[in-house]
Each structure stands twice: as C-alpha cells, then as structure tokens.
Amino acid sequence: MGQLAANQMTTGGETIIKLGKQLYSDPNTGRQRRGSGGSAAGSPRSFIRVLRQLELNYDFRSMDTNAVSKLLPGEFDKWKTPPQAKA
C-alpha cells in the first residue's frame, strides 16, 4: 500500500485508492495480500504503470472502482478475486 500511497496519481484519487485496497489488501485481516509486494505483472507498481497509460483516455474521478477494474488487463485477474477466508 505504501507504493500506492506514495504515488502522485493516487493522491486525491479516491477511486484509485479504493481499487488498490480491494486488489492488494486482505478484507479478512486488513493486511497486505501475500505476494503483492513484488514488481511482477499485476503488482502495485504495474498497477500504477497501467493506470498512467489509461488516464490518457479515462477520467478516473468520474468512474467507480468497478468500472476502472474492468479496464485493467488480464495480469490483474488474480488480484480481483478476494482471498478465501481461512476456516
């Protein structure tokens, strides 16, 4: 989450911050999801890189998180699925 918070693009962009939390935070624990700290495809670094490309054509401030999520390429699919709660 530090990578997202430190980026100029996410400051003031509530939709992007919410989407980042949905993708990279575990809703069961509130902590960072396992494996989200790297720089591989689908990582927070990649998320920012892709959003910078998309912002040339889209106004994220006028969109909800679901609409922005649908714009993300397949490399983010594994993060779109919430982690399973441990029994």
Side-chain angles (χ1 to χ4, degrees):
M1 293 308 293
Q3 292 175 20
L4 295 177
N7 191 287
Q8 285 183 340
M9 179 178 203
T10 58
T11 56
E14 186 177 338
T15 299
I16 300 305
I17 293 169
K18 284 182 181 179
L19 181 56
K21 286 179 79 172
Q22 286 176 6
L23 293 174
Y24 302 113
S25 293
D26 185 332
N28 303 311
T29 64
R31 300 183 73 185
Q32 179 177 328
R33 287 179 67 177
R34 184 178 180 99
S36 66
S39 59
S43 70
R45 288 181 191 169
S46 181
F47 179 64
I48 296 300
R49 179 185 48 78
V50 167
L51 290 177
R52 283 189 175 155
Q53 293 172 350
L54 291 172
E55 78 176 336
L56 298 172
N57 295 308
Y58 297 95
D59 177 16
F60 298 134
R61 292 179 190 275
S62 68
M63 300 170 73
D64 64 15
T65 56
N66 189 41
V68 177
S69 178
K70 288 180 181 181
L71 297 173
L72 296 175
E75 70 185 79
F76 296 93
D77 288 350
K78 79 174 194 171
W79 300 109
K80 290 179 184 179
T81 305
Q84 299 296 321
K86 295 184 179 179

